[in-house]
Amino acid sequence: MRNTVKLTTAVLAAGALGLGLSACGSSDSGSASDTSGPLVVAASPTPHAEILNYVKENLAKKAGLDLEVKEFTDYVTPNTATEDGSVDANYFQNQPYLDDFNKKRGTHIVPVVTVHLEPLGLYSHKVKSADALKSGATVAVPNDSVNEARALKLLAANGLITLKDGVGNEATPSDITKNPKNLKFKELEAAQTPRSLDDVDAAVVNGNYAIEADLKPAKDALVLESADNNPYGNFLAVKEGNEDDPRVKKLAKLLTSAEVKKFIQDKYAGSVIASF
């Protein structure tokens, strides 16, 4: 991960605030960016930055792409940084999350190319199967609207709860119509869910955070999302207007290459699934 810059929300707060204020005056801020410098991409550490660094170290030079990877540990700053132009692109999110983010934050981020899926899973340090969860068990779920809905849909798909008909990507525990095990839900920031496993009976964990916590989704999850017709593929994204940046086009082509597919298959063994 040499030359990768790791940034957290705390470190970025002051700078992001100033950049955000400067961006408020114009919806065009950050679009039509200078394409002569390196392409700076914000990414979650695992697997997104790992995939980007594979591209950087093995494919980018031959393609004439100068790529810089910045790691972020949260799901907010990569989009705000892309919106204000402090990075050129990001790679960490799925379409339902982006739609919700743009709507609530007034940002103008658009997808470029879908690269992979990280199946969401239910994990536990206390039981070996979902059926073994006791009545009144506490289950941690992500607290952002899209991932919480996704978590509840996973539980519903596996018969642990029933949700209202037609519930969308803003489902919350209040939309549960049947809860035969009387499960209780602890809403946490997505990054905290794997750390809660010693304190709760089970937790629904996003794929990237599961891998960072040394969980193996394909092996360790009690239940795991199906990859079939899954709307939660993760993609490279830019601020609207920057889709035709030649650097972005080069990266999009590299991220969907046979070499990257093999890297994903070899490194993640089914815990991350190429979407192309």
Side-chain angles (χ1 to χ4, degrees):
M1 294 259 180
R2 186 178 58 189
N3 296 330
T4 299
V5 182
K6 294 189 177 182
L7 301 171
T8 65
T9 306
V11 172
L12 287 164
L17 178 59
L19 288 165
L21 290 171
S22 67
C24 290
S26 171
S27 63
D28 294 329
S29 175
S31 62
S33 60
D34 178 12
T35 62
S36 62
L39 182 70
V40 183
V41 183
S44 297
T46 305
H48 309 79
E50 293 173 348
I51 295 169
L52 287 169
N53 277 306
Y54 171 80
V55 170
K56 176 184 175 73
E57 294 164 10
N58 296 278
L59 306 175
K61 184 176 180 180
K62 184 176 179 181
L65 176 64
D66 186 1
L67 179 62
E68 181 180 340
V69 183
K70 290 189 176 182
E71 294 185 14
F72 293 78
T73 59
D74 70 294
Y75 284 169
V76 174
T77 318
N79 274 338
T80 56
T82 304
E83 178 75 11
D84 65 38
S86 55
V87 300
D88 300 302
N90 66 58
Y91 174 33
F92 78 101
Q93 65 192 319
N94 58 57
Q95 191 68 60
Y97 179 83
L98 176 59
D99 290 343
D100 182 72
F101 193 97
N102 278 336
K103 180 180 178 181
K104 291 180 176 177
R105 303 264 181 162
T107 46
H108 308 84
I109 312 301
V110 296
V112 176
V113 66
T114 302
V115 181
H116 76 267
L117 171 71
E118 301 160 26
L120 196 75
L122 177 69
Y123 300 85
S124 177
H125 286 171
K126 299 179 181 178
V127 298
K128 298 297 184 182
S129 70
D131 290 341
L133 286 169
K134 296 180 180 178
S135 179
T138 298
V139 179
V141 294
N143 66 2
D144 64 274
S145 57
V146 170
N147 281 308
E148 181 170 51
R150 187 180 174 188
L152 294 174
K153 289 178 182 179
L154 173 68
L155 299 179
N158 287 276
L160 292 169
I161 59 172
T162 301
L163 293 170
K164 292 177 184 176
D165 289 341
V167 70
N169 289 318
E170 295 185 354
T172 69
S174 66
D175 294 305
I176 296 172
T177 58
K178 293 182 180 179
N179 186 357
K181 287 182 177 289
N182 192 30
L183 299 176
K184 297 177 174 58
F185 296 94
K186 186 172 184 177
E187 297 167 306
L188 300 172
E189 183 181 353
Q192 299 297 321
T193 54
R195 302 171 196 169
S196 73
L197 282 168
D198 288 332
D199 303 316
V200 298
D201 297 291
V204 181
V205 183
N206 290 73
N208 61 316
Y209 292 131
I211 295 168
E212 288 176 18
D214 293 325
L215 296 167
K216 296 178 176 59
K219 177 183 177 182
D220 297 334
L222 305 184
V223 296
L224 195 65
E225 275 183 329
S226 169
D228 295 337
N229 301 312
N230 194 303
Y232 297 104
N234 284 204
F235 47 68
L236 179 70
V238 297
K239 186 173 182 181
E240 187 175 10
N242 291 337
E243 301 95 316
D244 292 328
D245 182 327
R247 302 168 303 166
V248 171
K249 288 187 171 183
K250 285 180 181 178
L251 180 57
K253 185 175 181 179
L254 294 176
L255 282 171
T256 53
S257 65
E259 293 91 341
V260 167
K261 176 174 279 191
K262 185 177 188 304
F263 172 77
I264 290 172
Q265 291 171 339
D266 291 347
K267 183 170 181 62
Y268 301 109
S271 295
V272 177
I273 302 168
S275 299
F276 56 92

